[in-house]
């Protein structure tokens, strides 16, 4: 596993623990569709939450939220619709 993949995996594990601590139930992890992957799908009472995890070791490549651009948001939406369907 590459160093980048290890960082991403540890970020997803940290996000999963955080969501669980907040009372979310993890429904699925690494849900793959032809549109892309959703890192974590969680449920809070009646609400389904689709989580994209971006882990960075620094800000050299910008902040994590900037990595979820319009293209990525569109594909996450399509993947979420696939899950709901």
């Amino acid at each position: 596993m590459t160093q980048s993949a290890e960082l991403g995996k540890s970020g997803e594990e940290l996000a999963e623990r955080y969501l669980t601590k907040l009372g979310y139930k993890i429904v699925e992890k690494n849900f793959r569709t032809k549109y892309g992957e959703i890192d974590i799908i969680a449920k809070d009472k009646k609400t389904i939450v689709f989580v994209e995890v971006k882990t960075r070791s620094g800000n050299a490549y910008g902040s994590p939220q900037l990595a979820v651009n319009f293209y990525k948001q569109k594909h996450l939406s399509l993947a979420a619709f696939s899950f709901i369907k």
Side-chain angles (χ1 to χ4, degrees):
M1 187 179 288
T2 67
Q3 197 173 36
S4 177
E6 287 178 18
L7 180 64
K9 184 171 171 43
S10 67
E12 288 179 15
E13 290 170 353
L14 182 64
E16 181 182 354
R17 286 194 303 269
Y18 178 73
L19 291 167
T20 301
K21 185 176 178 180
L22 291 178
Y24 288 84
K25 178 183 182 276
I26 304 302
V27 176
E28 186 136 5
K29 296 186 291 186
N30 303 314
F31 177 74
R32 296 181 190 273
T33 72
K34 65 181 181 180
Y35 305 109
E37 178 185 271
I38 299 173
D39 296 325
I40 300 172
I41 301 172
K43 189 172 181 184
D44 178 36
K45 297 179 182 139
K46 295 181 180 182
T47 304
I48 296 175
V49 180
F50 300 94
V51 181
E52 174 67 15
V53 179
K54 292 294 183 191
T55 309
R56 298 280 195 259
S57 59
N59 286 327
Y61 296 103
S63 63
Q65 58 268 38
L66 292 178
V68 187
N69 57 26
F70 175 78
Y71 175 82
K72 181 68 175 177
Q73 289 175 33
K74 180 180 176 183
H75 283 261
L76 285 170
S77 295
L78 292 169
F81 283 128
S82 293
F83 177 82
I84 291 169
K85 203 173 189 184

